[in-house]
Amino acid sequence: MPFTTRHKVRFQHCDPAGIVFYPRYFEMINAVVEDWFAEVVGHDFSTLHVTSRTSVPTASLETDFHAPSRLGETLTFELAVRAVGRTSLALRIVARCGDQPRLTCDATLVFVDLESGRPLPWPETMRHHFVIDCPRGCPDE
Amino acid sequence: MPFTTRHKVRFQHCDPAGIVFYPRYFEMINAVVEDWFAEVVGHDFSTLHVTSRTSVPTASLETDFHAPSRLGETLTFELAVRAVGRTSLALRIVARCGDQPRLTCDATLVFVDLESGRPLPWPETMRHHFVIDCPRGCPDE
Amino acid sequence: MPFTTRHKVRFQHCDPAGIVFYPRYFEMINAVVEDWFAEVVGHDFSTLHVTSRTSVPTASLETDFHAPSRLGETLTFELAVRAVGRTSLALRIVARCGDQPRLTCDATLVFVDLESGRPLPWPETMRHHFVIDCPRGCPDE
Amino acid sequence: MPFTTRHKVRFQHCDPAGIVFYPRYFEMINAVVEDWFAEVVGHDFSTLHVTSRTSVPTASLETDFHAPSRLGETLTFELAVRAVGRTSLALRIVARCGDQPRLTCDATLVFVDLESGRPLPWPETMRHHFVIDCPRGCPDE
């Protein structure tokens, strides 16, 4: 079952065209991933970065923007696991306003050691929370 | 010949891991597109948005992050035209530090009317500046 | 009684020193003001900007940063009204983590017409929600 | 003589009112301080943070916004030293568009050890570049 969270479209997200400036969507997407790591995977970003000296940088992104989002709207984000690698993780994040799709983002993260920048195998304490939702339970584009 | 410009990796771009936080790359990419419209296409974003009441929202993005970028580095961005549609434009943006590739981003923009949000055909004054560089002169990934 | 809301210190707010980069505090402060307008003053920023074609730009800011905030902390923001002018509004915003003060910000906003940029008198529907909390009920610095 | 640099008002800086969103001004101000440290003080932010494990957090800010800035304008920033303390530094940053003042910001920075967060005396290699310009040569508000 995909992880779900909501973000309000704030003044700070909007551009002179009155719609979300797309780099701000990626701040929201990063916040969705951050909350999913804290609430589902059980490793908050502070522990991950500061205590464990690891990180989960983004290796690739494929994003389709279906329709613009406007100031004051509330977006519902769903995050689902598409695939799990030894050191990587493929996620799908979908944002909607009501039943209108706004974006579909396929992101691939890598687990790395902060000092060396080298990929690390996911520890079992994290990996067993990576339950593949897609393609069956995958949020529609 | 691709359009080339440079961005310094500033304090404001970097995250607690000491590397560029990827939403900040998209701010740089948007600035590259903005400068290309002003300097090559001959339509700056102020005229485009405020005077003409049009916009060039991003419809899709495919981005590969090849290696992290660090505080103080200078990135060279190249922008090339991949394909021109009636109302859309496919660009490739590549960023490097020296000869090290950092990211490759394939972006598709759409020309729209700001009031209706509807796609508009590119005016001939813009279109004749859209010279396809790829695949031949396309910056390597 | 001051208006209270909370913001989590996210990855996107933190700099290479691992603490909140101060321009991100101002994004949080703007969000606090935005929520106060929607929830207390009864005019959300979408109605204010898009429908009424007005805005509330910041004319001045005095901010003291008492201690750094770190990734994963939750900050409690209090907003109190210091003074009400014909076209302006003086607010105090204080952020704390637990009982530790993090910042005190005295902000002066102006109500303006978006087209002309000229100050407008606050409409009575907004003004009667501007209840002065300070100095008595003013959040301590 | 104040240090001078320029920033273009980009799409990413502007809000739905079509003017610079004030937290973006603080990103520009931070970039001005960053360039001044690299070019005048002779310590770039990468050396300062990554190599020396020190930082220059902002302790207080007083900012007046004189007039809005619009997409496509070029702002000239001047930075002058107001006062030098044992561990602190008081700066004035003024931004103008042509001869129109846009903002005046009095900022106080502190030199700190990154691990402990404790203030450090400015090293002589930095201090001898802190030449007081104000009040005489201070940029007008």
Side-chain angles (χ1 to χ4, degrees), chain D residues 33-119:
Chain D
V33 172
E34 190 173 352
D35 287 343
W36 180 73
F37 266 90
E39 296 172 30
V40 175
V41 184
H43 287 67
D44 65 71
F45 267 27
S46 175
T47 308
L48 206 67
H49 287 85
V50 181
T51 315
S52 308
R53 304 294 296 154
T54 53
S55 190
V56 284
T58 301
S60 70
L61 285 171
E62 271 193 57
T63 314
D64 289 309
F65 301 96
H66 308 300
S69 299
R70 295 181 187 284
L71 182 59
E73 291 183 337
T74 297
L75 304 181
T76 303
F77 285 80
E78 286 185 5
L79 179 154
V81 176
R82 287 186 299 123
V84 185
R86 201 178 64 94
T87 63
S88 69
L89 183 64
L91 302 174
R92 167 162 298 174
I93 294 118
V94 172
R96 288 191 189 76
C97 180
D99 55 5
Q100 290 191 314
R102 293 297 166 81
L103 68 82
T104 303
C105 176
D106 283 354
T108 303
L109 312 180
V110 183
F111 187 56
V112 301
D113 177 75
L114 257 191
E115 311 307 328
S116 68
R118 297 243 176 92

Side-chain angles (χ1 to χ4, degrees), chain B residues 6-15 18-20 25 28 68-76 96-98 102, chain C residues 16, chain D residues 34-35 38-39 43-51:
Chain B
R6 289 149 71 93
H7 285 271
K8 194 177 160 185
V9 176
R10 292 186 168 284
F11 198 70
Q12 72 197 67
H13 300 130
C14 295
D15 66 19
I19 62 176
V20 174
Y25 274 131
M28 295 184 202
S69 299
R70 294 180 188 284
L71 183 58
E73 290 183 338
T74 297
L75 303 181
T76 302
R96 288 191 189 77
C97 180
R102 294 297 166 83
Chain D
E34 190 173 352
D35 287 343
E39 296 172 30
H43 287 67
D44 65 71
F45 267 27
S46 175
T47 308
L48 206 67
H49 287 85
V50 181
T51 315

